[in-house]
Amino acid sequence: MHKIRKCLFPAAGYGTRFLPVTKSMPKEMLPLVNKPLIQYGVEEAIEAGMNGMAIVTGRGKRALEDHFDISYELEHQIAGTDKEWLLTDIRRIIDQCTFSYTRQVEMKGLGHAILSGETLIGEEPFAVVLADDYCATEHGEEGVLTQMVKLYEKYRCSIVAIEEIPREDTRKYGVIAGDLEADNLYRVREMVEKPDPAVAPSNLAIIGRYILTPDIFDILRETPPGRGGEIQITDALMTQAKMGNVLAYKFKGRRFDCGSIEGFMEASNYNYEHIYKKKR
Ligand code: UTP
């Protein structure tokens, strides 16, 4: 029985909502206080038992790779000073995980980015984290990926994380409809990418956490471009859902859309109050 060991981070998008800062750096490197978004995602994956971090990059990948590499000069410089602890967490991550990278050479959508990651994942179930969706959980509560891995161990099928959104926002998300399978868990019947509020099948929106079974790669290869001319993961998941193989999980925790300026500012303030100040 396959355990989930790998986590894929699609990080090739242009991040146009954050221009000009994203002109030369990936938005996944934007910091919430002093830690880049992607590091929070990696920490969530580690907590869920994963140690293979697979990153799909596009332009400006240097900063991502450098972040997850050892900087000997820097470590030497601050060794024995009161700043040494600032690098402890990232050093532990580097020691514990393997990082691999591939490039999405054309920006053809999230589904296409995930398919580009096949070479790093292979034939096993895996998690996907969109690092610009930052998920905070209360102290002592399990991270969202940990919650999802536990469900995967029971149901052995693809799982998407969902949350209730205001109806007028359905145009920004993949939206599902399904039948209640257990508490906070739906067996997906229908999925639509960015529907008009008038025709959206519900107000349950998919956010940036997935567990996918590896047959998704063959399905993605056959999935034609959908909404916006992009290859949509939602369309590929719909193929699995038709066979009853997709669950949608209303997770415990709070999500911030750090791909938008408002969400990013809220998450920064939240982390400053709830994490940074308490750690000092
Ligand atoms: P977004 O829809 O947020 O797009 O992608 P974006 O380009 O990153 O940001 P904006 O809208 O221009 O500001 C959702 C996720 O999918 C990845 C992005 O990196 C992000 O994590 N993605 C999207 C890719 O890796 N490749 C793509 O072709 C599209």
Side-chain angles (χ1 to χ4, degrees):
M1 276 293 181
H2 273 307
K3 205 174 145 331
I4 308 231
R5 302 179 307 142
K6 294 184 184 174
C7 186
L8 187 70
F9 296 84
Y14 290 120
T16 51
R17 281 168 290 172
F18 266 92
L19 281 169
V21 68
T22 43
K23 193 166 166 239
S24 63
M25 75 176 241
K27 79 171 162 191
E28 292 74 13
M29 285 304 294
L30 289 172
L32 294 183
V33 190
N34 60 347
K35 220 193 265 187
L37 285 170
I38 191 145
Q39 186 175 334
Y40 291 99
V42 168
E43 288 173 355
E44 198 185 314
I46 292 173
E47 187 211 301
M50 297 162 218
N51 67 357
M53 307 299 158
I55 304 183
V56 179
T57 60
R59 82 286 83 112
K61 71 168 180 172
R62 269 281 302 277
L64 284 168
E65 289 199 24
D66 288 347
H67 187 70
F68 295 111
D69 196 359
I70 294 169
S71 170
Y72 287 106
E73 310 86 76
L74 195 53
E75 287 193 13
H76 179 73
Q77 195 71 31
I78 65 169
T81 74
D82 60 355
K83 297 205 189 80
E84 200 171 357
W85 67 278
L86 287 168
L87 286 181
T88 315
D89 285 356
I90 182 69
R91 183 61 205 245
R92 204 178 299 129
I93 290 173
I94 294 166
D95 290 342
Q96 221 174 324
C97 301
T98 305
F99 288 86
S100 54
Y101 301 86
T102 190
R103 273 201 180 220
Q104 184 190 12
V105 285
E106 281 178 288
M107 299 310 131
K108 292 203 257 178
L110 178 58
H112 181 259
I114 291 173
L115 182 56
S116 307
E118 181 181 20
T119 168
L120 308 175
I121 300 293
E123 268 293 306
E124 55 183 285
F126 61 103
V128 175
V129 166
L130 305 185
D132 51 356
D133 266 346
Y134 168 62
C135 292
T137 40
E138 290 298 321
H139 187 67
E141 220 175 55
E142 288 172 338
V144 176
L145 277 186
T146 303
Q147 299 169 37
M148 292 173 79
V149 164
K150 284 193 174 162
L151 285 173
Y152 175 79
E153 278 161 7
K154 179 164 180 203
Y155 292 96
R156 302 269 157 194
C157 66
S158 289
I159 304 170
V160 297
I162 50 167
E163 72 173 19
E164 282 185 46
I165 52 153
R167 257 217 174 244
E168 62 268 24
D169 286 346
T170 56
R171 267 193 213 91
K172 298 189 209 158
Y173 297 92
V175 175
I176 70 121
D179 305 309
L180 204 58
E181 173 88 26
D183 262 4
N184 294 321
L185 192 66
Y186 298 82
R187 179 82 53 186
V188 174
R189 233 183 312 113
E190 203 188 336
M191 282 178 136
V192 196
E193 186 60 30
K194 302 190 172 70
D196 215 73
V199 296
S202 75
N203 69 335
L204 297 173
I206 303 171
I207 63 114
R209 298 288 181 280
Y210 308 74
I211 303 273
L212 300 176
T213 52
D215 55 310
I216 199 75
F217 294 125
D218 281 338
I219 298 171
L220 278 168
R221 249 186 291 282
E222 300 296 321
T223 302
R227 184 122 200 157
E230 298 189 328
I231 297 175
Q232 300 288 355
I233 186 66
T234 316
D235 294 340
L237 278 165
M238 192 56 220
T239 304
Q240 288 187 331
K242 281 184 189 143
M243 297 178 273
N245 290 339
V246 181
L247 293 170
Y249 171 57
K250 218 194 293 172
F251 63 94
K252 294 185 189 73
R254 178 167 173 196
R255 178 195 68 111
F256 296 88
D257 173 13
C258 295
S260 75
I261 303 275
E262 294 73 20
F264 176 76
M265 293 311 297
E266 267 177 47
S268 297
N269 290 328
Y270 179 92
N271 269 20
Y272 180 65
E273 293 298 333
H274 289 80
I275 301 178
Y276 187 75
K277 268 187 171 174
K278 286 187 182 154
K279 231 176 155 183
R280 271 202 307 180

